[in-house]
Coordinates of all heavy atoms in Angstrom, one line a residue:
M11 N 6.6 -28.4 26.5 CA 7.2 -29.6 25.9 C 8.2 -29.2 24.9 O 8.0 -28.4 24.0 CB 6.1 -30.4 25.3 CG 6.4 -31.6 24.7 SD 5.0 -32.5 24.1 CE 5.6 -34.1 24.0
K12 N 9.4 -29.8 25.0 CA 10.5 -29.5 24.0 C 10.4 -30.5 22.9 O 10.2 -31.7 23.1 CB 11.8 -29.7 24.7 CG 12.2 -28.7 25.7 CD 13.6 -29.0 26.2 CE 14.1 -28.2 27.3 NZ 15.4 -28.7 27.7
P13 N 10.6 -30.0 21.7 CA 10.7 -30.9 20.5 C 12.1 -31.7 20.6 O 13.1 -31.2 21.0 CB 10.7 -30.0 19.3 CG 11.0 -28.7 19.7 CD 10.7 -28.6 21.2
S14 N 12.0 -32.9 20.2 CA 13.2 -33.7 20.2 C 14.2 -33.3 19.1 O 13.8 -32.8 18.1 CB 12.9 -35.2 20.2 OG 12.3 -35.5 18.9
L15 N 15.4 -33.6 19.3 CA 16.4 -33.3 18.3 C 16.2 -34.0 17.0 O 16.3 -33.4 15.9 CB 17.8 -33.6 18.8 CG 19.0 -33.3 17.9 CD1 19.0 -31.8 17.6 CD2 20.3 -33.8 18.5
P16 N 15.8 -35.3 16.9 CA 15.6 -35.9 15.7 C 14.4 -35.3 14.9 O 14.5 -35.2 13.7 CB 15.2 -37.4 16.0 CG 15.9 -37.6 17.3 CD 15.9 -36.3 18.1
L17 N 13.4 -34.8 15.6 CA 12.3 -34.2 15.0 C 12.7 -32.9 14.4 O 12.3 -32.5 13.3 CB 11.1 -34.0 16.0 CG 9.9 -33.3 15.5 CD1 9.3 -34.1 14.3 CD2 8.9 -33.0 16.6
A18 N 13.5 -32.1 15.1 CA 14.0 -30.9 14.6 C 14.9 -31.1 13.4 O 14.8 -30.3 12.4 CB 14.8 -30.1 15.7
I19 N 15.7 -32.1 13.3 CA 16.5 -32.4 12.2 C 15.7 -32.7 11.0 O 15.9 -32.3 9.9 CB 17.6 -33.5 12.5 CG1 18.6 -32.9 13.5 CG2 18.3 -33.9 11.2 CD1 19.5 -34.0 14.0
L20 N 14.7 -33.6 11.2 CA 13.8 -34.0 10.2 C 13.0 -32.8 9.6 O 12.9 -32.7 8.4 CB 12.8 -35.0 10.7 CG 11.8 -35.6 9.7 CD1 12.5 -36.3 8.6 CD2 10.8 -36.5 10.4
L21 N 12.6 -31.9 10.4 CA 11.9 -30.7 9.9 C 12.8 -29.8 9.1 O 12.4 -29.3 8.1 CB 11.2 -30.0 11.1 CG 10.0 -30.6 11.7 CD1 9.6 -29.8 12.9 CD2 8.9 -30.7 10.7
S22 N 14.0 -29.6 9.6 CA 14.9 -28.8 8.9 C 15.3 -29.4 7.5 O 15.5 -28.6 6.5 CB 16.2 -28.5 9.7 OG 17.0 -29.7 9.9
L23 N 15.4 -30.7 7.4 CA 15.7 -31.3 6.1 C 14.6 -31.3 5.2 O 14.8 -31.3 4.0 CB 16.2 -32.8 6.3 CG 17.5 -33.0 7.0 CD1 17.8 -34.5 7.3 CD2 18.6 -32.4 6.2
S24 N 13.4 -31.2 5.7 CA 12.2 -31.2 4.8 C 12.1 -29.9 4.1 O 11.5 -29.8 3.1 CB 10.9 -31.5 5.6 OG 10.7 -30.4 6.5
F25 N 12.7 -28.8 4.6 CA 12.6 -27.5 4.0 C 13.8 -27.2 3.1 O 14.0 -26.2 2.5 CB 12.5 -26.4 5.1 CG 11.2 -26.4 5.8 CD1 11.2 -26.7 7.1 CD2 10.0 -26.2 5.1 CE1 10.0 -26.8 7.8 CE2 8.8 -26.2 5.8 CZ 8.8 -26.5 7.1
A26 N 14.8 -28.2 3.1 CA 16.0 -28.0 2.2 C 15.6 -28.1 0.8 O 14.7 -28.8 0.4 CB 17.0 -29.1 2.5
P27 N 16.2 -27.3 -0.1 CA 15.9 -27.3 -1.5 C 16.3 -28.7 -2.1 O 17.2 -29.3 -1.7 CB 16.8 -26.2 -2.1 CG 17.8 -26.0 -1.2 CD 17.3 -26.3 0.2
A28 N 15.5 -29.1 -3.0 CA 15.7 -30.4 -3.7 C 16.9 -30.2 -4.6 O 17.1 -29.2 -5.3 CB 14.5 -30.8 -4.5
A29 N 17.7 -31.3 -4.7 CA 18.8 -31.3 -5.6 C 18.3 -31.4 -7.0 O 17.4 -32.1 -7.3 CB 19.7 -32.5 -5.3
R30 N 19.0 -30.6 -7.9 CA 18.6 -30.7 -9.3 C 19.8 -31.0 -10.1 O 21.0 -30.7 -9.8 CB 18.0 -29.4 -9.7 CG 18.9 -28.2 -9.7 CD 18.2 -27.0 -10.2 NE 19.0 -25.8 -10.2 CZ 19.8 -25.5 -11.3 NH1 19.8 -26.3 -12.3 NH2 20.6 -24.5 -11.2
A31 N 19.6 -31.5 -11.3 CA 20.7 -31.8 -12.2 C 21.2 -30.6 -12.8 O 20.4 -29.7 -13.1 CB 20.2 -32.8 -13.2
A32 N 22.5 -30.5 -13.1 CA 23.0 -29.3 -13.7 C 22.7 -29.4 -15.2 O 22.5 -30.4 -15.8 CB 24.5 -29.4 -13.6
N33 N 22.5 -28.2 -15.8 CA 22.3 -28.1 -17.2 C 23.4 -27.3 -17.9 O 24.3 -26.9 -17.3 CB 20.9 -27.5 -17.4 CG 20.7 -26.1 -16.9 OD1 21.7 -25.4 -16.8 ND2 19.5 -25.7 -16.6
E34 N 23.2 -27.2 -19.2 CA 24.2 -26.6 -20.0 C 24.4 -25.1 -19.7 O 25.5 -24.6 -19.7 CB 23.8 -26.7 -21.5 CG 24.9 -26.2 -22.4 CD 24.6 -26.5 -23.9 OE1 23.5 -27.0 -24.2 OE2 25.5 -26.2 -24.7
A35 N 23.3 -24.4 -19.3 CA 23.5 -23.0 -18.9 C 24.3 -22.9 -17.6 O 25.2 -21.9 -17.5 CB 22.1 -22.4 -18.7
D36 N 24.1 -23.8 -16.7 CA 24.9 -23.7 -15.4 C 26.4 -24.0 -15.8 O 27.3 -23.3 -15.2 CB 24.5 -24.8 -14.5 CG 23.0 -24.6 -14.0 OD1 22.6 -23.4 -13.9 OD2 22.4 -25.6 -13.6
Y37 N 26.6 -24.9 -16.7 CA 28.0 -25.2 -17.1 C 28.7 -24.0 -17.8 O 29.8 -23.6 -17.5 CB 28.1 -26.4 -18.0 CG 29.3 -26.4 -18.9 CD1 30.6 -26.6 -18.4 CD2 29.2 -26.1 -20.3 CE1 31.7 -26.6 -19.2 CE2 30.3 -26.1 -21.1 CZ 31.5 -26.3 -20.6 OH 32.6 -26.3 -21.4
K38 N 27.9 -23.3 -18.7 CA 28.5 -22.2 -19.4 C 28.8 -21.1 -18.5 O 29.8 -20.4 -18.6 CB 27.5 -21.7 -20.5 CG 27.4 -22.7 -21.7 CD 26.5 -22.1 -22.8 CE 26.6 -23.1 -24.0 NZ 25.7 -22.6 -25.1
A39 N 28.0 -20.8 -17.4 CA 28.3 -19.8 -16.4 C 29.6 -20.1 -15.7 O 30.4 -19.3 -15.5 CB 27.1 -19.6 -15.5
A40 N 29.7 -21.4 -15.2 CA 30.8 -21.8 -14.4 C 32.1 -21.7 -15.3 O 33.1 -21.3 -14.8 CB 30.6 -23.2 -13.8
Y41 N 31.9 -22.2 -16.5 CA 33.1 -22.2 -17.4 C 33.6 -20.8 -17.8 O 34.8 -20.5 -17.8 CB 32.8 -23.0 -18.7 CG 34.0 -23.2 -19.6 CD1 34.8 -24.3 -19.3 CD2 34.3 -22.3 -20.6 CE1 35.9 -24.5 -20.1 CE2 35.4 -22.6 -21.4 CZ 36.3 -23.6 -21.1 OH 37.4 -23.8 -21.9
A42 N 32.6 -19.9 -18.0 CA 33.0 -18.5 -18.3 C 33.7 -17.9 -17.1 O 34.7 -17.1 -17.3 CB 31.7 -17.7 -18.6
A43 N 33.3 -18.1 -15.9 CA 34.0 -17.6 -14.7 C 35.4 -18.1 -14.6 O 36.4 -17.4 -14.3 CB 33.2 -17.9 -13.5
A44 N 35.5 -19.4 -14.9 CA 36.9 -20.0 -14.8 C 37.8 -19.5 -15.9 O 38.9 -19.3 -15.7 CB 36.7 -21.6 -14.9
E45 N 37.2 -19.4 -17.1 CA 38.0 -18.9 -18.2 C 38.5 -17.5 -18.0 O 39.6 -17.1 -18.3 CB 37.2 -19.0 -19.5 CG 38.1 -18.9 -20.8 CD 37.3 -19.2 -22.0 OE1 36.0 -18.9 -22.1 OE2 37.9 -19.7 -22.9
A46 N 37.6 -16.7 -17.4 CA 38.0 -15.3 -17.1 C 39.1 -15.2 -16.1 O 40.1 -14.4 -16.3 CB 36.8 -14.5 -16.6
A47 N 39.0 -16.0 -15.1 CA 40.1 -16.0 -14.1 C 41.4 -16.6 -14.7 O 42.5 -16.1 -14.4 CB 39.7 -16.9 -12.9
S48 N 41.3 -17.6 -15.5 CA 42.4 -18.1 -16.2 C 43.1 -17.1 -17.1 O 44.4 -17.0 -17.1 CB 42.0 -19.4 -17.0 OG 43.2 -19.9 -17.6
K49 N 42.3 -16.3 -17.8 CA 42.9 -15.3 -18.7 C 43.6 -14.2 -17.9 O 44.6 -13.7 -18.3 CB 41.8 -14.7 -19.6 CG 41.4 -15.6 -20.7 CD 40.4 -15.0 -21.6 CE 40.0 -16.0 -22.7 NZ 38.9 -15.4 -23.6
E50 N 43.0 -13.9 -16.7 CA 43.7 -12.9 -15.8 C 45.0 -13.4 -15.4 O 46.0 -12.7 -15.3 CB 42.7 -12.6 -14.7 CG 43.3 -11.5 -13.8 CD 42.4 -11.2 -12.6 OE1 41.2 -11.7 -12.6 OE2 42.9 -10.5 -11.7
A51 N 45.1 -14.7 -15.0 CA 46.3 -15.3 -14.6 C 47.3 -15.3 -15.7 O 48.5 -15.1 -15.5 CB 46.1 -16.7 -14.0
A52 N 46.9 -15.6 -16.9 CA 47.7 -15.6 -18.0 C 48.3 -14.2 -18.3 O 49.5 -14.1 -18.7 CB 47.0 -16.2 -19.3
G53 N 47.4 -13.2 -18.1 CA 47.9 -11.9 -18.3 C 49.0 -11.5 -17.3 O 49.8 -10.6 -17.6
M54 N 48.9 -12.1 -16.2 CA 50.0 -11.8 -15.1 C 51.2 -12.7 -15.3 O 52.1 -12.7 -14.6 CB 49.4 -12.1 -13.7 CG 48.2 -11.2 -13.4 SD 47.5 -11.7 -11.9 CE 48.4 -10.6 -10.8
R55 N 51.2 -13.5 -16.4 CA 52.2 -14.5 -16.7 C 52.5 -15.5 -15.6 O 53.6 -15.8 -15.3 CB 53.5 -13.7 -17.1 CG 53.4 -12.8 -18.3 CD 54.6 -12.1 -18.6 NE 55.5 -13.1 -19.1 CZ 56.8 -12.9 -19.2 NH1 57.3 -11.7 -19.0 NH2 57.7 -13.8 -19.7
N56 N 51.3 -15.9 -15.0 CA 51.4 -16.9 -13.9 C 50.3 -17.9 -14.0 O 49.7 -18.3 -13.1 CB 51.4 -16.2 -12.6 CG 51.9 -17.1 -11.5 OD1 52.9 -17.7 -11.6 ND2 51.1 -17.1 -10.4
Q57 N 50.0 -18.4 -15.2 CA 49.0 -19.3 -15.5 C 49.5 -20.7 -15.2 O 50.5 -21.2 -15.8 CB 48.4 -19.3 -16.9 CG 47.2 -20.2 -17.1 CD 46.7 -20.0 -18.5 OE1 47.5 -19.9 -19.5 NE2 45.4 -20.1 -18.7
W58 N 48.8 -21.5 -14.3 CA 49.3 -22.8 -13.9 C 48.8 -23.8 -15.0 O 47.7 -23.7 -15.5 CB 48.7 -23.2 -12.6 CG 49.3 -22.5 -11.5 CD1 50.3 -21.5 -11.5 CD2 48.8 -22.5 -10.1 NE1 50.5 -21.0 -10.2 CE2 49.6 -21.6 -9.3 CE3 47.8 -23.2 -9.4 CZ2 49.4 -21.4 -8.0 CZ3 47.6 -23.0 -8.1 CH2 48.4 -22.1 -7.4
T59 N 49.6 -24.8 -15.3 CA 49.2 -25.8 -16.3 C 48.1 -26.6 -15.8 O 47.3 -27.1 -16.7 CB 50.4 -26.7 -16.6 OG1 50.9 -27.3 -15.4 CG2 51.6 -25.9 -17.2
V60 N 47.9 -26.9 -14.5 CA 46.8 -27.6 -14.0 C 45.4 -26.9 -14.3 O 44.4 -27.6 -14.4 CB 46.9 -28.0 -12.5 CG1 48.1 -29.0 -12.4 CG2 47.1 -26.8 -11.7
T61 N 45.5 -25.6 -14.3 CA 44.3 -24.8 -14.6 C 43.8 -25.2 -16.1 O 42.7 -25.4 -16.3 CB 44.5 -23.3 -14.5 OG1 45.0 -23.1 -13.2 CG2 43.3 -22.5 -14.7
V62 N 44.8 -25.2 -17.0 CA 44.4 -25.4 -18.4 C 43.9 -26.9 -18.5 O 43.0 -27.1 -19.2 CB 45.7 -25.2 -19.3 CG1 45.5 -25.6 -20.7 CG2 46.2 -23.8 -19.2
S63 N 44.5 -27.8 -17.7 CA 44.0 -29.2 -17.8 C 42.6 -29.3 -17.2 O 41.8 -30.1 -17.8 CB 45.0 -30.1 -17.0 OG 46.3 -30.1 -17.5
A64 N 42.3 -28.5 -16.2 CA 41.0 -28.6 -15.6 C 39.9 -28.0 -16.5 O 38.8 -28.5 -16.7 CB 40.9 -27.9 -14.2
L65 N 40.3 -26.9 -17.3 CA 39.4 -26.4 -18.3 C 39.2 -27.3 -19.4 O 38.0 -27.5 -19.9 CB 40.0 -25.1 -18.8 CG 39.9 -23.9 -17.9 CD1 40.7 -22.7 -18.5 CD2 38.5 -23.5 -17.7
A66 N 40.2 -28.0 -19.8 CA 40.1 -29.1 -20.9 C 39.2 -30.2 -20.4 O 38.3 -30.7 -21.2 CB 41.4 -29.6 -21.3
A67 N 39.3 -30.6 -19.2 CA 38.4 -31.7 -18.6 C 37.0 -31.2 -18.5 O 36.1 -32.0 -18.8 CB 38.9 -32.1 -17.2
A68 N 36.8 -29.9 -18.2 CA 35.4 -29.4 -18.2 C 34.8 -29.4 -19.6 O 33.7 -29.8 -19.7 CB 35.4 -28.0 -17.6
R69 N 35.5 -29.0 -20.6 CA 35.0 -29.0 -22.0 C 34.7 -30.4 -22.4 O 33.7 -30.7 -23.0 CB 36.1 -28.4 -22.9 CG 35.9 -26.9 -23.1 CD 36.8 -26.4 -24.3 NE 38.2 -26.9 -24.2 CZ 39.1 -26.2 -23.6 NH1 38.8 -25.0 -23.0 NH2 40.4 -26.5 -23.6
K70 N 35.6 -31.4 -22.1 CA 35.4 -32.8 -22.5 C 34.2 -33.4 -21.8 O 33.3 -34.0 -22.5 CB 36.6 -33.6 -22.1 CG 36.5 -35.1 -22.5 CD 37.8 -35.8 -22.2 CE 37.7 -37.2 -22.7 NZ 38.9 -38.0 -22.4
A71 N 34.0 -33.1 -20.6 CA 32.8 -33.6 -19.8 C 31.5 -33.0 -20.4 O 30.5 -33.6 -20.6 CB 32.9 -33.3 -18.3
A72 N 31.6 -31.7 -20.7 CA 30.4 -31.0 -21.3 C 30.1 -31.6 -22.7 O 28.9 -31.7 -23.0 CB 30.6 -29.5 -21.4
D73 N 31.1 -31.8 -23.4 CA 30.9 -32.4 -24.8 C 30.2 -33.8 -24.7 O 29.5 -34.2 -25.6 CB 32.2 -32.5 -25.5 CG 32.7 -31.2 -26.0 OD1 32.0 -30.2 -26.0 OD2 34.0 -31.1 -26.3
G74 N 30.5 -34.5 -23.6 CA 29.9 -35.8 -23.4 C 28.5 -35.7 -22.7 O 27.9 -36.7 -22.5
G75 N 28.1 -34.5 -22.4 CA 26.8 -34.3 -21.8 C 26.8 -34.5 -20.2 O 25.7 -34.4 -19.7
D76 N 27.9 -34.6 -19.6 CA 28.0 -34.8 -18.2 C 28.3 -33.4 -17.6 O 29.4 -33.0 -17.2 CB 29.1 -35.7 -17.8 CG 29.1 -36.1 -16.3 OD1 28.3 -35.5 -15.6 OD2 29.9 -36.9 -15.9
F77 N 27.1 -32.6 -17.4 CA 27.3 -31.2 -16.9 C 27.6 -31.1 -15.5 O 28.2 -30.2 -15.1 CB 26.0 -30.5 -17.3 CG 25.8 -30.3 -18.7 CD1 24.7 -30.9 -19.4 CD2 26.7 -29.6 -19.5 CE1 24.5 -30.8 -20.7 CE2 26.5 -29.4 -20.9 CZ 25.4 -30.0 -21.5
D78 N 27.3 -32.2 -14.7 CA 27.7 -32.1 -13.2 C 29.2 -32.2 -13.1 O 29.8 -31.4 -12.4 CB 27.1 -33.3 -12.5 CG 25.6 -33.2 -12.3 OD1 25.1 -32.0 -12.1 OD2 24.9 -34.2 -12.3
R79 N 29.9 -33.1 -13.9 CA 31.3 -33.2 -13.9 C 31.9 -32.0 -14.5 O 33.0 -31.5 -14.1 CB 31.8 -34.5 -14.6 CG 33.2 -34.7 -14.4 CD 33.8 -35.9 -15.0 NE 32.9 -37.1 -14.9 CZ 33.0 -38.2 -15.6 NH1 33.9 -38.3 -16.6 NH2 32.2 -39.2 -15.4
A80 N 31.3 -31.5 -15.6 CA 31.8 -30.2 -16.2 C 31.8 -29.0 -15.3 O 32.8 -28.2 -15.3 CB 31.0 -30.0 -17.5
I81 N 30.8 -28.9 -14.5 CA 30.7 -27.8 -13.6 C 31.8 -27.9 -12.5 O 32.4 -27.0 -12.1 CB 29.3 -27.6 -13.0 CG1 28.3 -27.1 -14.1 CG2 29.3 -26.7 -11.8 CD1 26.9 -27.2 -13.8
A82 N 31.9 -29.2 -12.0 CA 32.9 -29.4 -11.0 C 34.3 -29.1 -11.5 O 35.1 -28.4 -10.8 CB 32.8 -30.8 -10.5
A83 N 34.6 -29.5 -12.7 CA 35.9 -29.2 -13.3 C 36.1 -27.7 -13.5 O 37.2 -27.2 -13.3 CB 36.1 -30.0 -14.6
S84 N 35.0 -27.0 -13.9 CA 35.1 -25.6 -14.1 C 35.4 -24.8 -12.8 O 36.2 -23.9 -12.8 CB 33.8 -25.1 -14.8 OG 33.6 -25.6 -16.0
K85 N 34.7 -25.3 -11.8 CA 34.9 -24.6 -10.5 C 36.4 -24.9 -10.0 O 36.9 -24.0 -9.3 CB 33.9 -25.1 -9.5 CG 32.5 -24.5 -9.8 CD 31.5 -25.0 -8.8 CE 30.1 -24.3 -9.1 NZ 29.1 -24.6 -8.1
E86 N 36.8 -26.1 -10.2 CA 38.2 -26.4 -9.8 C 39.2 -25.5 -10.6 O 40.1 -25.0 -10.0 CB 38.5 -27.9 -10.1 CG 39.9 -28.3 -9.7 CD 40.3 -29.7 -10.1 OE1 39.4 -30.4 -10.6 OE2 41.4 -30.1 -9.9
A87 N 39.0 -25.4 -11.9 CA 39.8 -24.5 -12.7 C 39.8 -23.1 -12.2 O 40.8 -22.4 -12.2 CB 39.4 -24.6 -14.2
E88 N 38.6 -22.6 -11.9 CA 38.5 -21.2 -11.3 C 39.2 -21.1 -10.1 O 40.0 -20.1 -9.9 CB 37.0 -20.8 -11.2 CG 36.8 -19.4 -10.7 CD 35.4 -19.0 -10.5 OE1 34.5 -19.9 -10.4 OE2 35.1 -17.8 -10.3
A89 N 39.1 -22.0 -9.2 CA 39.9 -22.0 -7.9 C 41.4 -22.0 -8.1 O 42.1 -21.3 -7.5 CB 39.4 -23.1 -7.0
L90 N 41.8 -22.8 -9.1 CA 43.2 -22.9 -9.4 C 43.7 -21.6 -10.0 O 44.8 -21.1 -9.6 CB 43.5 -24.0 -10.3 CG 43.4 -25.4 -9.8 CD1 43.4 -26.5 -10.9 CD2 44.6 -25.7 -8.8
A91 N 42.9 -21.0 -10.9 CA 43.3 -19.7 -11.5 C 43.4 -18.6 -10.4 O 44.3 -17.8 -10.4 CB 42.3 -19.3 -12.6
K92 N 42.4 -18.6 -9.5 CA 42.4 -17.6 -8.5 C 43.6 -17.8 -7.5 O 44.2 -16.8 -7.1 CB 41.1 -17.6 -7.7 CG 40.0 -17.0 -8.4 CD 38.7 -17.0 -7.7 CE 37.6 -16.3 -8.5 NZ 36.3 -16.3 -7.7
A93 N 44.0 -19.0 -7.3 CA 45.2 -19.3 -6.5 C 46.5 -18.8 -7.1 O 47.4 -18.3 -6.5 CB 45.3 -20.8 -6.1
S94 N 46.5 -19.0 -8.5 CA 47.7 -18.5 -9.2 C 47.8 -17.0 -9.2 O 48.8 -16.4 -9.2 CB 47.7 -19.1 -10.6 OG 46.7 -18.6 -11.4
I95 N 46.6 -16.4 -9.3 CA 46.6 -14.9 -9.2 C 47.1 -14.4 -7.9 O 47.9 -13.5 -7.8 CB 45.1 -14.4 -9.5 CG1 44.8 -14.7 -11.0 CG2 45.0 -12.9 -9.2 CD1 43.3 -14.5 -11.3
F96 N 46.6 -15.1 -6.8 CA 47.0 -14.7 -5.5 C 48.5 -14.9 -5.3 O 49.2 -14.1 -4.8 CB 46.3 -15.6 -4.4 CG 46.8 -15.4 -3.1 CD1 46.4 -14.2 -2.3 CD2 47.7 -16.3 -2.4 CE1 46.9 -14.0 -1.0 CE2 48.1 -16.0 -1.2 CZ 47.7 -14.9 -0.4
Q97 N 49.0 -16.0 -5.9 CA 50.5 -16.3 -5.8 C 51.2 -15.2 -6.5 O 52.2 -14.7 -6.0 CB 50.8 -17.6 -6.5 CG 52.3 -17.9 -6.5 CD 52.6 -19.1 -7.3 OE1 52.0 -19.4 -8.3 NE2 53.6 -19.9 -6.8
A98 N 50.8 -14.8 -7.7 CA 51.5 -13.7 -8.5 C 51.5 -12.4 -7.7 O 52.5 -11.7 -7.7 CB 50.8 -13.6 -9.8
T99 N 50.4 -12.1 -7.1 CA 50.3 -10.8 -6.4 C 51.1 -10.8 -5.2 O 51.7 -9.8 -4.8 CB 48.9 -10.3 -6.2 OG1 48.2 -11.4 -5.5 CG2 48.2 -10.0 -7.5
S100 N 51.0 -11.9 -4.4 CA 51.7 -12.0 -3.1 C 53.3 -12.1 -3.3 O 54.0 -11.6 -2.5 CB 51.2 -13.1 -2.3 OG 51.5 -14.3 -2.9
E101 N 53.7 -12.6 -4.4 CA 55.1 -12.8 -4.6 C 55.7 -11.7 -5.5 O 56.9 -11.7 -5.8 CB 55.4 -14.1 -5.3 CG 55.2 -15.3 -4.3 CD 55.5 -16.6 -4.9 OE1 55.9 -16.7 -6.0 OE2 55.3 -17.6 -4.2
K102 N 54.9 -10.7 -5.8 CA 55.3 -9.6 -6.7 C 56.5 -8.9 -6.1 O 57.5 -8.6 -6.8 CB 54.2 -8.6 -7.0 CG 54.5 -7.6 -8.0 CD 53.3 -6.7 -8.2 CE 53.6 -5.8 -9.3 NZ 52.4 -4.9 -9.6
D103 N 56.5 -8.6 -4.8 CA 57.6 -8.0 -4.2 C 58.3 -8.9 -3.2 O 59.4 -8.5 -2.6 CB 57.1 -6.7 -3.5 CG 56.6 -5.7 -4.5 OD1 57.2 -5.5 -5.6 OD2 55.6 -5.0 -4.2
A104 N 57.8 -10.0 -2.9 CA 58.4 -10.9 -1.8 C 59.7 -11.4 -2.3 O 60.5 -11.7 -1.4 CB 57.4 -12.0 -1.6
W105 N 60.0 -11.5 -3.5 CA 61.2 -12.0 -4.0 C 62.4 -11.2 -3.5 O 63.5 -11.7 -3.3 CB 61.3 -12.2 -5.5 CG 61.2 -10.9 -6.2 CD1 60.1 -10.3 -6.6 CD2 62.3 -10.1 -6.6 NE1 60.5 -9.1 -7.3 CE2 61.8 -9.0 -7.3 CE3 63.7 -10.3 -6.5 CZ2 62.6 -8.0 -7.8 CZ3 64.5 -9.3 -7.0 CH2 63.9 -8.1 -7.7
K106 N 62.2 -9.9 -3.3 CA 63.2 -9.0 -2.9 C 63.8 -9.4 -1.6 O 64.9 -9.1 -1.3 CB 62.7 -7.5 -2.9 CG 62.3 -7.0 -4.3 CD 61.7 -5.7 -4.2 CE 61.3 -5.2 -5.6 NZ 60.6 -4.0 -5.6
A107 N 63.0 -9.9 -0.7 CA 63.4 -10.3 0.7 C 64.3 -11.5 0.6 O 65.1 -11.7 1.5 CB 62.2 -10.6 1.5
M108 N 64.2 -12.3 -0.4 CA 65.0 -13.5 -0.5 C 66.3 -13.2 -1.3 O 67.1 -14.1 -1.5 CB 64.3 -14.6 -1.2 CG 63.1 -15.1 -0.3 SD 62.3 -16.5 -0.8 CE 61.7 -16.2 -2.4
E109 N 66.5 -12.1 -1.9 CA 67.6 -11.8 -2.7 C 68.9 -11.7 -1.8 O 68.9 -11.1 -0.8 CB 67.4 -10.4 -3.4 CG 68.5 -10.0 -4.3 CD 68.2 -8.7 -5.0 OE1 67.2 -8.6 -5.6 OE2 69.1 -7.8 -5.0
I110 N 70.0 -12.3 -2.3 CA 71.2 -12.3 -1.6 C 71.9 -10.9 -1.8 O 72.0 -10.4 -3.0 CB 72.2 -13.4 -2.1 CG1 71.5 -14.8 -1.8 CG2 73.5 -13.3 -1.4 CD1 72.3 -15.9 -2.4
R111 N 72.3 -10.3 -0.8 CA 72.9 -8.9 -0.9 C 74.3 -9.0 -0.6 O 74.9 -9.7 0.1 CB 72.2 -8.0 0.2 CG 70.7 -7.9 -0.2 CD 70.0 -7.2 0.8 NE 68.6 -7.4 0.6 CZ 67.7 -6.4 0.6 NH1 68.0 -5.2 0.8 NH2 66.4 -6.7 0.4

């Protein structure tokens, strides 16, 4: 006898971890990772202004006690910082190909 698909889905969902609210420690870890990536981008002289805005939004949300939003903003800031780092490294020598000779 084959188990039905709805039963299989129900069983798989029952073993899923329960969602939990974010806390200050989770925020601090996410913010530290974002800040480190942002500092690396700044060191490459390629820090995006939207990264700084996302970090500020994360701080503001954390100050208000909304750690879920603070973590989301921190992760967004980290992704933006990593994208700016990628941009800086990929364009380090690429500009030479566009130079008029």
Side-chain angles (χ1 to χ4, degrees):
M11 180 178 203
K12 289 185 190 177
S14 65
L15 183 60
L17 179 61
I19 292 172
L20 180 62
L21 286 174
S22 66
L23 290 176
S24 67
F25 294 113
R30 64 178 185 86
N33 60 25
E34 189 173 3
D36 295 335
Y37 156 70
K38 286 183 178 182
Y41 188 84
E45 193 172 37
S48 181
K49 285 181 181 179
E50 183 180 349
M54 300 174 91
R55 300 181 65 196
N56 198 46
Q57 186 180 38
W58 293 351
T59 57
V60 291
T61 305
V62 175
S63 298
L65 285 171
R69 270 193 306 272
K70 184 177 180 181
D73 289 344
D76 188 355
F77 294 114
D78 289 327
R79 190 179 316 163
I81 290 171
S84 295
K85 288 182 179 184
E86 179 185 0
E88 182 180 12
L90 289 167
K92 287 181 178 182
S94 66
I95 292 167
F96 175 78
Q97 179 188 36
T99 55
S100 66
E101 292 181 1
K102 187 174 184 179
D103 295 322
W105 66 271
K106 294 176 185 176
M108 295 190 298
E109 184 179 307
I110 298 174
R111 298 171 195 230

